Amino acid sequence: GNSVTQMEGPVTLSEEAFLTINCTYTATGYPSLFWYVQYPGEGLQLLLKATKADDKGSNKGFEATYRKETTSFHLEKGSVQVSDSAVYFCALSDRGGGGADGLTFGKGTHLIIQP
Amino acid sequence: GAVVSQHPSWVICKSGTSVKIECRSLDFQATTMFWYRQFPKQSLMLMATSNEGSKATYEQGVEKDKFLINHASLTLSTLTVTSAHPEDSSFYICSARDRTGSSYNEQFFGPGTRLTVL
């Protein structure tokens, strides 16, 4: 079956540090890949996505590249801010792609940015 | 736009009772809604896909008679946990799929409902 593995937190960084949150996946088909973010007290929000190999998703300074050869979709940001503190979920969908159907999620990574 | 609400945000009930959780798309029509369950420090796990006007599709291992889903309108889906037991205690999250505009096919998530069964 499908699965998503992401690094467990909490991850604590200082403001302006470089961020990497690793995510690898197992899927039977050709999945679409997503990063969701959950701020305290709020629902999950789509951060970025990639629907095919070598695509790069980007948003709000975050980016992730769909690497089929390593089955990875690592999240990166060059300079984090305190406001980036949240829980980040890596997810995949392989039922037609494009986020059309139910998602398989990783466990989530709690990111804490200190001033 | 694209806001999804859940009610209640938390509920405590006695073992053996039933609990209904509502999921509403506030500013768009959702032909499809999804229900997820999250245990502490675990992934969100898809429980079922709810389609407006038809029966829900349950994931393997999810008891459909235990978790009743009704999607009677384009803006409302309900999840009823019947005869709840302590092992049903969890965080239940819904999402709704918007078929219109620039967010075509994107899922929008509710804030979740914390269920505690005593």
Side-chain angles (χ1 to χ4, degrees):
Chain A
N2 299 330
S3 67
V4 175
T5 302
Q6 62 182 106
M7 58 192 297
E8 296 192 25
V11 173
T12 304
L13 297 173
S14 297
E15 203 167 20
E16 299 184 1
F18 184 88
L19 168 70
T20 300
I21 301 178
N22 291 335
C23 171
T24 57
Y25 67 90
T26 302
T28 53
Y30 299 93
S32 295
L33 302 174
F34 307 84
W35 276 100
Y36 283 85
V37 59
Q38 185 174 33
Y39 298 104
E42 299 183 16
L44 274 73
Q45 301 173 27
L46 178 64
L47 180 60
L48 53 84
K49 68 179 181 182
T51 58
K52 62 182 186 295
D54 299 326
D55 270 1
K56 177 186 286 188
S58 62
N59 185 25
K60 299 180 181 180
F62 291 89
E63 59 182 34
T65 301
Y66 189 143
R67 301 288 188 195
K68 186 180 178 183
E69 64 275 14
T70 55
T71 62
S72 65
F73 193 53
H74 304 322
L75 182 68
E76 297 181 335
K77 186 174 185 181
S79 177
V80 292
Q81 305 299 314
V82 173
S83 57
D84 294 327
S85 299
V87 180
Y88 293 81
F89 292 90
C90 185
L92 71 81
S93 172
D94 72 349
R95 305 182 199 182
D101 290 285
L103 298 163
T104 301
F105 283 91
K107 291 185 178 182
T109 302
H110 188 192
L111 176 64
I112 301 170
I113 307 300
Q114 297 177 333
Chain B
V3 177
V4 175
S5 70
Q6 280 184 242
H7 179 79
S9 55
W10 60 270
V11 57
I12 301 173
C13 69
K14 293 182 178 180
S15 185
T17 61
S18 295
V19 174
K20 179 184 286 188
I21 302 170
E22 294 185 348
C23 177
R24 292 181 184 272
S25 56
L26 298 184
D27 50 4
F28 66 99
Q29 294 183 332
T31 54
T32 303
M33 292 182 172
F34 302 90
W35 287 96
Y36 296 85
R37 181 174 180 178
Q38 185 180 28
F39 293 101
K41 299 186 179 180
Q42 300 285 328
S43 301
L44 279 76
M45 296 182 62
L46 179 65
M47 298 175 65
T49 302
S50 170
N51 297 297
E52 186 268 336
S54 64
K55 291 183 178 181
T57 303
Y58 290 82
E59 295 299 301
Q60 190 173 8
V62 178
E63 299 177 59
K64 61 181 181 181
D65 295 330
K66 174 76 171 177
F67 299 99
L68 300 179
I69 292 173
N70 183 280
H71 193 160
S73 78
L74 288 173
T75 60
L76 173 64
S77 175
T78 59
L79 168 68
T80 301
V81 183
T82 63
S83 187
H85 291 283
E87 58 265 31
D88 299 323
S89 298
S90 191
F91 195 55
Y92 294 88
I93 302 173
C94 74
S95 70
R97 186 168 68 191
D98 185 358
R99 283 288 196 184
T100 63
S102 61
S103 59
Y104 181 79
N105 257 347
E106 181 176 341
Q107 290 185 36
F108 298 93
F109 285 81
T113 297
R114 173 75 59 192
L115 170 63
T116 301
V117 184
L118 301 177

